[in-house]
Amino acid sequence: MAMRQTPLTCSGHTRPVVDLAFSGITPYGYFLISACKDGKPMLRQGDTGDWIGTFLGHKGAVWGATLNTDATKAATAAADFTAKVWDAVSGDELMTLAHKHIVKTVDFTQDSNYLLTGGQDKLLRIYDLNKPEAEPKEISGHTSGIKKALWCSEDKQILSADDKTVRLWDHATMTEVKSLNFNMSVSSMEYIPEGEILLITYGRSIAFHSAVSLDPIKSFEAPATINSASLHPEKEFLVAGGEDFKLYKYDYNSGEELESYKGHFGPIHCVRFSPDGELYASGSEDGTLRLWQTVVGKTYGLWKCVLPEEDSGELAKPKIGFPETTEEEIEEIASENSDCIYPSAPDVKA
């Protein structure tokens, strides 16, 4: 009998989870940060989802969050007109970077010396984190609020997306190299350094472009509006999630739908593969993060493969959260109010 996908449920947030990011693989494993409209980004152990701590300090919804490669620093973008940089080991706030409008996106350079931000004021800003008192460099050109901004090509270029446009910038000259225009809103963007691939979602489309030239590579159509997608590190397949509460897994080469799962009780806002490719994480309107196995049935993290005669071929059903929230409770609350409230993790720092 085929084994069934059993996600790990990570509760603790009290509003929709709108962004998430993994660190690279460190001597201590890898880590996961989540951005939430409750204003309290959380840090978790990446392979298990175990809660490590909550970064406290924002006074509005947190729209974007990221970790540097070695998971020593975190950065967050928020509706309180600030981006913040944190010590991801101690949980201490290192600096607050004031903006003139809502900040939606943050990204570290590979050496963690610079932070890229973007938001509703349509400007890209580059902060020298070794000179926090210095004014940031600014890049203008977007005609609507910036949703996502990423370093690419070994930090020599920048990719950014507003409502219906993706732009490629040269870091040295601070000028636009090329742009892509879409007839509908761009919902997400992921940069894959290995192969210089850019993954863009808009409407039901999942499109791959060259991150160097923005030339199209291939695209897939999903059965529902897609809010986010992610490519497996080995480029074997991709996962996507969106408005129909489902996660879809596709073969990258053929475009064939391999699997689909419904686990969330609200639209999926963000999905990302772990750096080792063993799992992918999803964040939803229902206030939870879920971790899913790339290869169902493999013993990994909190998943333990059991023999068919022990459990009818299904996996053990690990479920985590701090504190615990049952599936029935989540479903009941989510059905009553899309801005539902769930038990949250204690207000302590990482």
Side-chain angles (χ1 to χ4, degrees), residues 9-29:
T9 303
C10 310
S11 55
H13 281 301
T14 60
R15 296 289 304 281
V17 178
V18 292
D19 192 29
L20 55 86
F22 285 100
S23 71
I25 298 173
T26 78
Y28 307 98

Side-chain angles (χ1 to χ4, degrees), residues 35-53:
C36 182
K37 289 185 182 180
D38 64 10
K40 297 175 181 178
M42 289 187 179
L43 183 69
R44 298 179 184 272
Q45 190 71 38
D47 60 340
T48 63
D50 287 331
W51 177 81
I52 295 172

Side-chain angles (χ1 to χ4, degrees), residues 98-300:
H99 289 62
K100 296 178 181 178
H101 212 308
I102 294 168
V103 191
K104 284 290 188 76
T105 179
V106 282
D107 195 33
F108 288 107
T109 50
Q110 292 178 353
D111 59 12
S112 306
N113 288 329
Y114 295 89
L115 185 73
L116 174 66
T117 71
Q120 291 298 96
D121 62 3
K122 309 173 189 177
L123 292 174
L124 292 168
R125 290 182 172 86
I126 301 171
Y127 290 88
D128 185 340
L129 299 183
N130 295 314
K131 300 176 182 177
E133 71 288 345
E135 289 296 314
K137 295 178 181 178
E138 295 183 352
I139 301 176
S140 60
H142 277 283
T143 57
S144 61
I146 296 168
K147 295 181 175 180
K148 195 73 173 179
L150 302 167
W151 293 103
C152 66
S153 302
E154 297 181 338
D155 304 330
K156 295 174 184 175
Q157 293 182 308
I158 294 168
L159 290 160
S160 57
D162 60 23
D163 187 34
K164 294 181 180 179
T165 309
V166 171
R167 300 177 192 270
L168 178 65
W169 309 84
D170 181 80
H171 182 198
T173 63
M174 311 279 280
T175 57
E176 183 180 311
V177 178
K178 193 174 180 180
S179 65
L180 291 172
N181 296 306
F182 299 90
N183 58 6
M184 59 187 69
S185 183
V186 174
S187 53
S188 76
M189 192 169 69
E190 181 186 51
Y191 167 64
I192 300 95
E194 297 76 16
E196 295 290 336
I197 297 171
L198 175 63
L199 170 51
I200 305 167
T201 60
Y202 55 95
R204 295 187 176 190
S205 298
I206 304 164
F208 294 87
H209 292 256
S210 164
V212 177
S213 65
L214 297 189
D215 292 339
I217 298 172
K218 63 175 68 180
S219 64
F220 308 115
E221 288 293 314
T225 299
I226 296 298
N227 293 329
S228 183
S230 185
L231 181 63
H232 188 269
E234 295 179 6
K235 304 178 188 63
E236 297 173 355
F237 25 72
L238 61 127
V239 291
E243 294 300 308
D244 64 352
F245 305 9
K246 276 186 167 184
L247 278 162
Y248 295 91
K249 183 178 177 182
Y250 294 96
D251 183 286
Y252 175 66
N253 295 308
S254 68
E256 176 189 358
E257 181 184 317
L258 302 175
E259 299 162 342
S260 65
Y261 305 108
K262 183 177 178 182
H264 284 288
F265 301 108
I268 294 165
H269 294 309
C270 44
V271 59
R272 284 291 178 268
F273 270 107
S274 62
D276 63 0
E278 292 288 347
L279 60 82
Y280 47 97
S282 57
S284 168
E285 183 77 14
D286 67 15
T288 66
L289 283 168
R290 292 179 191 240
L291 305 182
W292 310 76
Q293 280 192 290
T294 301
V295 179
V296 178
K298 193 172 183 179
T299 296
Y300 180 84

